[in-house]
Amino acid sequence: MEYDIKDLSLKNIGREKIEWVKDFMPVLSSIEKKYIDKQPLKGIRVSMALHLEAKTAYLAIVMKNLGAEVRVSGSNPLSTQDQICAALVDMGISVFAYRGVDNETYNRHLVQALSHKPHIIIDDGADLAHALHKKHPELRENVYGGCEETTTGVIRLKAMDRQKILKYPMFAINDADCKHLFDNRFGTGQSSLEGVMRSTNLSLFGKKVVVAGFGWCGKGIAEKAKGFGANVIVTEVDAVKALEAAMEGYEVMPMKQAAKIGDIFITSTGNIDIITKEHFVLMKNNAILCNAGHFDCEISMKQLNKIAVKKEDRRNGVTGYHLKNGNVINVLGEGRLVNLACSDGHAAEIMDMSFALQLLTALYVLDNKGKLENRLYNVPVEIDRAVAEAKLESMGICIDVLSAEQKKYLESWE
Ligand code: NAD
Ligand code: ADE
């Protein structure tokens, strides 16, 4: 078995973490139970590029248990947990990832995860899609299709779809209701603040927290920060989202204005150059900056490195940049996804739904192989509903059912 990880001796800690989350991912467990005898993934090669932490490991294990040959790489240099990689290798899954890889190694790992010529792609950020379309077309000849986890990956795939260059069908997991309504909003809301609090050991109450982007993630971050007693400021470029934020009771202003008064800044736009040198120089001493968006392009680290006169590690995950004006700007997790670089990612109960969607959609791709076009598809509504229903059941929640009369009433115009 091939692999490239940091240290196999970390496997027991990794195993414990995986065992723990399993107990809180009942939907994924119920799918495994339903299909285990049928072995629907027997003979199927799966390549995954995901944030390699315990919940992801459980998805990989379930896929293996359903018969798949799984190869995994990371989807961000700082979101990989070495203990988890060790546990997966110990369980017979090929892993190509370690925390802190450089760009060259990161890209090599993606190719290694693809080198068994997969049938199914599980992507988070569309880096596998990029590798298969740009540099390694020879590795995509057996691909039946795949799934994309996040907003940024879906944006990239939509661009490929528009240009009609997609070479296999992909499904936008992010756009399913059971993904963005819960994962992006509640998941990122909680886990990003966990990342801030764990790495700084500071409080949020009474602080001015600036949230850049009031999309699904931004809404969640703002809501949870408000719950912790922060005074939340939102920056936006979309008039409707800005209005929504204002009516939620947040202050809304341009970043140039927010830069002067914020204590903590969290970007979640999926866009580039949200905080740049024009903002760094306006900030208060000891301002704390972090990013929850997929790529590390939201805070311009290049510009910060250029204008800083000194850089120092202040705590695990906290880098202080000393500016000419005497102020220190603290950046968490090197400007990479703060919830994964400085914490364990989303709660298990949340990833249960996101990964149930991934697994059920992968099974759908197999059931429909040869019938799909090389396009970007939405997750079938039945899969989205099935995940919601299974989650409600696991939470012991029953809901009302439409009566025949109610159905008829809703369908009539008279
Ligand atoms: P979204 O499209 O719902 O929201 C993005 C918002 O940012 C939009 O409202 C947009 O108008 C706004 N925006 C764009 N440019 C801006 C600018 N210059 N200034 C201020 N606002 C701007 O996207 P989302 O689902 O919230 O995802 C945001 C990012 O977070 C993506 O990169 C996504 O992949 C990532 N994500 C991260 C996690 C995580 O675990 N950290 C989870 C889910 C998604
Ligand atoms: N854990 C695994 N994948 C994740 C993701 N995309 N976001 C947050 N936590 C995760």
Side-chain angles (χ1 to χ4, degrees):
M1 199 185 83
E2 281 180 70
Y3 59 88
D4 185 18
I5 63 169
K6 186 145 290 162
D7 183 358
L8 194 53
S9 75
L10 299 171
K11 62 182 191 236
N12 290 340
I13 312 172
R15 230 177 231 275
E16 262 180 14
K17 287 184 103 168
I18 299 168
E19 284 302 322
W20 170 254
V21 299
K22 262 183 180 179
D23 284 356
F24 300 93
M25 299 179 75
V27 181
L28 197 54
S29 301
S30 68
I31 301 168
E32 180 183 27
K33 199 166 160 204
K34 180 172 171 192
Y35 288 104
I36 194 90
D37 294 336
K38 267 198 187 161
Q39 290 288 290
L41 296 177
K42 192 154 190 269
I44 297 299
R45 295 188 294 279
V46 176
S47 294
M48 292 182 170
L50 293 175
H51 299 298
L52 259 172
E53 49 88 10
K55 283 86 78 182
T56 312
Y58 186 38
L59 173 66
I61 292 163
V62 170
M63 286 194 143
K64 180 176 187 280
N65 291 345
L66 297 186
E69 183 201 298
V70 183
R71 284 187 159 224
V72 195
S73 68
S75 66
N76 187 295
L78 284 192
S79 65
T80 298
Q81 298 190 7
D82 293 322
Q83 305 126 342
I84 298 299
C85 298
L88 280 176
V89 168
D90 190 49
M91 293 178 211
I93 293 177
S94 288
V95 179
F96 306 92
Y98 48 83
R99 187 178 161 89
V101 279
D102 56 29
N103 277 346
E104 196 187 317
T105 315
Y106 177 80
N107 287 320
R108 173 167 55 79
H109 283 160
L110 292 173
V111 178
Q112 285 177 295
L114 290 167
S115 63
H116 62 166
K117 295 198 170 179
H119 299 110
I120 296 286
I121 301 296
I122 307 286
D123 228 343
D124 188 334
D127 283 347
L128 289 179
H130 186 267
L132 287 171
H133 285 77
K134 274 266 183 193
K135 285 206 175 139
H136 295 282
E138 76 286 359
L139 298 177
R140 70 174 185 232
E141 52 199 38
N142 298 318
V143 176
Y144 299 138
C147 305
E148 168 54 52
E149 173 82 0
T150 196
T151 315
T152 285
V154 169
I155 289 172
R156 294 175 87 186
L157 291 169
K158 278 185 180 159
M160 294 171 81
D161 192 33
R162 272 197 306 276
Q163 289 175 27
K164 300 194 176 15
I165 58 162
L166 261 178
K167 297 294 183 197
Y168 49 81
M170 280 296 286
F171 282 80
I173 300 296
N174 183 74
D175 295 358
D177 284 345
C178 282
K179 167 53 168 80
H180 63 271
L181 291 180
F182 306 101
D183 174 311
N184 301 31
R185 185 173 170 196
F186 299 108
T188 314
Q190 175 181 326
S191 61
S192 300
L193 299 186
E194 274 172 6
V196 172
M197 291 190 280
R198 276 202 210 177
S199 55
T200 62
N201 190 217
L202 295 174
S203 61
L204 292 179
F205 35 86
K207 295 255 173 31
K208 286 201 181 343
V209 173
V210 179
V211 180
F214 199 66
W216 291 111
C217 293
K219 279 189 217 320
I221 296 166
E223 196 171 36
K224 301 296 172 217
K226 187 179 182 179
F228 270 110
N231 299 306
V232 176
I233 297 169
V234 169
T235 73
E236 250 299 342
V237 288
D238 180 307
V240 175
K241 302 270 176 61
L243 191 57
E244 203 183 348
M247 294 217 180
E248 277 289 346
Y250 305 122
E251 272 196 85
V252 180
M253 60 183 76
M255 183 57 85
K256 234 174 159 176
Q257 207 175 319
K260 294 180 199 154
I261 54 175
D263 298 301
I264 300 176
F265 296 77
I266 311 179
T267 55
S268 62
T269 68
N271 204 347
I272 55 167
D273 295 340
I274 303 305
I275 306 184
T276 60
K277 64 179 179 214
E278 66 169 337
H279 306 115
F280 300 135
V281 294
L282 298 175
M283 287 178 178
K284 295 197 282 192
N285 184 34
N286 266 324
I288 292 167
L289 275 57
C290 64
N291 166 50
H294 186 78
F295 284 118
D296 58 337
C297 55
E298 305 212 13
I299 302 169
S300 177
M301 296 308 298
K302 209 169 162 188
Q303 290 183 5
L304 187 54
N305 273 297
K306 210 164 168 191
I307 65 168
V309 291
K310 188 178 140 195
K311 179 179 162 184
E312 62 173 337
D313 287 336
R314 304 198 66 188
R315 277 173 64 88
N316 195 9
V318 185
T319 313
Y321 291 83
H322 295 247
L323 304 188
K324 251 198 239 150
N325 63 10
N327 287 349
V328 180
I329 304 288
N330 300 295
V331 177
L332 310 185
E334 299 175 20
R336 297 191 184 275
L337 298 141
V338 69
N339 59 329
L340 286 142
C342 300
S343 187
D344 285 314
H346 295 348
E349 301 94 322
I350 293 286
M351 292 317 293
D352 188 26
M353 287 191 280
S354 306
F355 287 160
L357 287 167
Q358 289 275 11
L359 177 55
L360 290 175
T361 308
L363 294 174
Y364 180 88
V365 169
L366 284 179
D367 284 346
N368 289 279
K369 66 173 185 250
K371 294 187 211 151
L372 299 165
E373 288 179 59
N374 294 341
R375 302 290 313 264
L376 180 64
Y377 286 90
N378 284 330
V379 170
V381 177
E382 314 82 68
I383 291 182
D384 215 357
R385 291 276 126 197
V387 170
E389 282 163 14
K391 192 72 190 174
L392 280 173
E393 194 185 329
S394 76
M395 295 166 80
I397 296 173
C398 297
I399 58 173
D400 287 323
V401 179
L402 286 174
S403 67
E405 290 74 23
Q406 286 173 328
K407 255 192 201 163
K408 199 170 153 205
Y409 176 80
L410 290 174
E411 281 162 8
S412 76
W413 61 275
E414 286 159 316

